[in-house]
């Protein structure tokens, strides 16, 4: 019993700038998922971790606890998740990963999107998808059926991780990026083999890449230099490409792909209704900064999926691969396939 962690011992460790072990992290997250942690204990954990800086071992422990308590999602893991951590300094970036997921699915890539309501942003993935007509509240077994029928589905975090409800109020009250922003992209219950993950907190980017590296997973992890959890078009982005335990870093200037510079204001959204309108206009073929950034992030997802299928692509120029997938993404929109895929998805979730 003497070796059993306690909240005072864990918080004392963190406040002393010492790291938690995997087992200590797992214990703490189990307490949260089971509703046994008070709001004060959880807030202390989140703030202390943010101040100290999380480690790969800590994130692995937290993730293990979340996944062991998840509702099962029996889906072929040969799929893609395009997701962002949220927590950018603007609080209102367009829901780029959501529309990119639709475009990728229309291009023939199976997509299991992991998302939740907005916690540190004005509109989360589930908020905008609901506004577009996707029924995000369907039962877990129907989520798998929709994937089989349409090639795309949403693993709504609140449904598959019911323990998250115990952290929701504290996260909302804190209003800043926390451990949960890092965990979200790592806790897709389908455990897809390919991930394209945007991370707003620069300190968390190598951390996220390190977790994928430790798992031997395939991922593109990236951050815009303007602070958004996307490949940006306002300037450079940094990419960590992960494949079979190896990591390669890239600096990306969208000008090298023929994408013009954008102002940050053109990438910012508002509430779910506003963001959904932007999605509809992009899928209808409207050109402009929103389309450009959506195509770029769709291309990242398609590159990640191709890399999972063929790890030898790791040795090919990232610019060449992104350029080819930009063309695939544009065709998905301009042919009408992406708009049709969204309609198909909406219909399937509402039957």
């Amino acid at each position: 019993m003497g070796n059993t962690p306690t909240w005072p011992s864990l918080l004392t460790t963190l406040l002393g700038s010492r790291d938690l072990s995997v087992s200590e992290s797992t214990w703490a997250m189990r307490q949260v998922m089971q509703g046994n942690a008070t709001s004060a204990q959880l807030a202390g954990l989140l703030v202390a971790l943010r101040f100290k800086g999380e480690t790969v071992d800590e994130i692995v422990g937290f993730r293990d606890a979340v996944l062991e308590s998840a509702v099962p999602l029996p889906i072929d893991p040969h799929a893609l998740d395009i997701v962002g951590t949220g927590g950018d300094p603007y609080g209102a970036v367009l829901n780029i990963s959501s529309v990119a997921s639709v475009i990728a699915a229309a291009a023939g890539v199976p997509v299991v999107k992991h998302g939740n309501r907005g916690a540190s942003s004005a509109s989360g993935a589930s908020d905008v998808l609901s506004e577009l007509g996707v029924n995000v509240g369907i039962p877990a077994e129907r989520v798998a059926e929709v994937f089989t029928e349409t090639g795309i589905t949403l693993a709504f975090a609140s449904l598959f991780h019911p323990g998250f409800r115990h952290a929701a109020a504290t996260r909302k009250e804190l209003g800043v990026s926390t451990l949960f922003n890092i965990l979200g992209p790592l806790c897709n219950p389908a455990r897809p083999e390919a991930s394209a993950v945007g991370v707003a907190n620069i300190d968390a980017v190598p951390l996220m890449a390190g977790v994928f590296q430790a798992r031997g997973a395939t991922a593109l992890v990236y951050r815009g230099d303007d602070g958004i959890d996307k490949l940006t078009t306002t300037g450079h982005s940094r990419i960590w490409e992960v494949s079979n335990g190896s990591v390669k870093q890239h600096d990306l200037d969208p000008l090298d792909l023929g994408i013009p510079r954008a102002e940050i204001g053109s990438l910012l959204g508002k509430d779910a209704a506003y963001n959904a309108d932007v999605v509809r206009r992009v899928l209808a073929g409207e050109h402009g900064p929103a389309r450009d950034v959506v195509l770029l992030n769709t291309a990242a997802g398609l590159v990640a999926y191709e890399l999972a299928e063929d790890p030898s692509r790791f040795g090919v120029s990232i610019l060449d691969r992104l350029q080819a997938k930009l063309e695939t993404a544009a065709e998905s929109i301009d042919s009408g396939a992406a708009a049709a895929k969204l309609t198909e998805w909406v219909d399937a979730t509402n039957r």
Side-chain angles (χ1 to χ4, degrees), residues 96 198 220 222-224 228-233 237-239 252 267 293 296-297 299-300 322:
I96 294 166
L220 261 61
Y222 41 80
R223 177 188 185 270
I228 69 172
D229 61 333
K230 311 286 185 286
L231 289 179
T232 190
T233 51
S237 297
R238 280 178 274 182
I239 303 172
L252 175 67
L267 307 186
V293 74
L296 181 57
N297 284 270
L322 284 170

Side-chain angles (χ1 to χ4, degrees), residues 64-326:
D64 288 349
V66 171
L67 286 177
E68 75 181 17
S69 66
V71 174
L73 180 54
I75 283 179
D76 184 348
H78 188 66
L80 167 69
D81 188 8
I82 305 177
V83 64
T85 62
D88 64 82
Y90 311 100
V93 175
L94 294 168
N95 294 101
I96 294 166
S97 61
S98 297
V99 63
S101 296
V102 174
I103 297 166
V109 170
V111 175
V112 184
K113 174 88 175 98
H114 194 219
N116 209 349
R117 301 288 183 190
S120 55
S121 62
S123 173
S126 298
D127 299 308
V128 75
L129 291 173
S130 293
E131 188 68 28
L132 289 165
V134 176
N135 182 357
V136 303
I138 57 177
E141 60 271 17
R142 182 64 187 147
V143 171
E145 292 172 356
V146 167
F147 178 74
T148 300
E149 295 168 13
T150 68
I152 184 171
T153 200
L154 174 72
F156 186 22
S158 295
L159 172 65
F160 286 93
H161 303 296
F164 277 177
R165 73 184 185 275
H166 302 302
T170 301
R171 291 185 67 198
K172 199 74 173 180
E173 289 169 4
L174 288 176
V176 297
S177 176
T178 68
L179 156 71
F180 285 94
N181 294 86
I182 302 173
L183 276 179
L186 299 170
C187 295
N188 189 322
R191 297 168 172 80
E193 293 176 358
S195 299
V197 184
V199 184
N201 178 3
I202 185 60
D203 294 330
V205 179
L207 175 67
M208 184 81 71
V211 174
F212 283 115
Q213 181 183 19
R215 291 172 50 209
T218 300
L220 261 61
V221 183
Y222 41 80
R223 177 188 185 270
D225 283 356
D226 52 12
I228 69 172
D229 61 333
K230 311 286 185 286
L231 289 179
T232 190
T233 51
T234 68
H236 287 244
S237 297
R238 280 178 274 182
I239 303 172
W240 279 250
E241 185 178 12
V242 187
S243 178
N244 284 341
S246 297
V247 181
K248 214 187 320 190
Q249 294 186 37
H250 309 278
D251 179 85
L252 175 67
D253 185 342
L255 293 177
D256 292 336
L257 295 169
I259 299 174
R261 285 276 192 269
E263 296 295 326
I264 187 62
S266 65
L267 307 186
L268 300 185
K270 296 179 182 177
D271 58 14
Y274 177 92
N275 289 6
D277 181 63
V278 174
V279 171
R280 293 187 188 99
R281 287 188 277 116
V282 167
L283 294 185
E286 180 179 290
H287 285 245
R291 173 186 167 104
D292 291 342
V293 74
V294 163
L295 288 178
L296 181 57
N297 284 270
T298 304
L302 296 176
V303 165
Y305 183 77
E306 180 183 60
L307 184 61
E309 286 193 307
D310 181 6
S312 71
R313 301 294 288 171
F314 193 64
V316 178
S317 161
I318 190 75
L319 280 178
D320 290 346
R321 287 180 283 155
L322 284 170
Q323 187 68 65
K325 298 309 180 185
L326 277 171

